[in-house]
Amino acid sequence: MSESPKVLWSRPESERAGTPLLVLFHGYGADEADLFGLAGQLPAEFTVASVQAPLQAGPGRAWFPLRTDLSYTLDSVTDAAAGVEAWLDSVRGAHTSVTLFGFSQGMSMATTLLRHRPADYAAVVGLSGFVVEVDGHPYFDDAATAAAKPEVFWGRDQADPVIPASAVEYTNTWLRAHTELTKVLYTGIWHGINAQEMAHVGEFLRHKVLN
């Protein structure tokens, strides 16, 4: 992803300076418009930027191939993250902080960025998603992440039919070992987001980022 990604912004450029930035990463098969509708349910102090994933996936987009796809590699994950990071580095100077918000596969992107440069981010919100298993890949600085203990909100439904149990188990273990974790379980949202969860996300962001 060499060129800057397509981004939807909640404010015009002239109104972004000095605001905290909240970056949204959509799920597999969706696009940058998918989560952008949530911007109005988030604390108004944030400038929200919803980023388009680099790969085509059916009618939508993907950050990297699915684990079940033969073209999946950890390099496909880190290549996507490096592209987003380059874009972030071009805009972060205007903002007081950067927080990452990912849904489903987008949570993998948010946590991958966190694991590369944990000091860069105020917090991460991950909904109905997972953390990638890395097996010692050099891009992921898990020692620095564990030392920083970043604030992470993880919301999900135990009946989520999309994320495999093994990925949930790995994610739970990794988050508990490396982050200051706020974990909330919901019923009836399956692989989705509801108003109660968004209210909890708003509280988390106010308490952990805006205070």
Side-chain angles (χ1 to χ4, degrees):
M1 203 163 82
S2 53
E3 58 190 56
S4 288
K6 183 178 176 184
V7 180
L8 293 176
W9 290 91
S10 65
R11 300 178 202 267
E13 191 168 0
S14 60
E15 296 173 18
R16 295 174 202 161
T19 61
L21 179 63
L22 181 63
V23 185
L24 307 185
F25 300 94
H26 62 78
Y28 184 92
D31 62 26
E32 68 282 3
D34 185 54
L35 296 177
F36 195 62
L38 298 175
Q41 298 178 52
L42 295 163
E45 291 90 335
F46 286 97
T47 291
V48 178
S50 189
V51 185
Q52 183 189 81
L55 306 177
Q56 196 73 39
R61 312 287 292 187
W63 297 102
F64 49 87
L66 295 173
R67 278 293 296 269
T68 50
D69 193 307
L70 290 176
S71 63
Y72 173 83
T73 62
L74 271 176
D75 284 344
S76 65
V77 179
T78 59
D79 286 352
V84 173
E85 192 173 77
W87 166 75
L88 268 172
D89 285 346
S90 75
V91 300
R92 72 167 69 244
H95 299 278
T96 53
S97 64
V98 179
T99 300
L100 308 176
F101 179 127
F103 174 76
S104 195
Q105 195 187 63
M107 178 178 171
S108 303
M109 193 48 40
T111 51
T112 294
L113 286 160
L114 178 73
R115 294 163 80 179
H116 187 227
R117 292 189 346 207
D120 284 6
Y121 304 105
V124 170
V125 174
L127 307 183
S128 302
F130 59 100
V131 170
V132 294
E133 298 188 41
V134 303
D135 217 18
H137 192 290
Y139 187 87
F140 298 82
D141 196 345
D142 281 356
T145 308
K149 278 280 183 184
E151 295 284 353
V152 175
F153 180 99
W154 184 31
R156 58 180 297 271
D157 186 337
Q158 285 182 296
D160 185 328
V162 174
I163 308 299
S166 58
V168 171
E169 191 175 322
Y170 177 86
T171 300
N172 191 50
T173 301
W174 187 91
L175 288 171
R176 289 187 181 283
H178 296 85
T179 73
E180 196 65 48
L181 178 62
T182 301
K183 179 183 175 185
V184 187
L185 295 174
Y186 301 89
T187 54
I189 66 169
W190 305 96
H191 191 67
I193 300 171
N194 69 4
Q196 181 191 32
E197 186 173 39
M198 286 305 297
H200 290 155
V201 168
E203 289 168 18
F204 171 83
L205 293 171
R206 284 186 193 92
H207 184 57
K208 304 296 187 181
V209 181
L210 298 178
N211 268 353

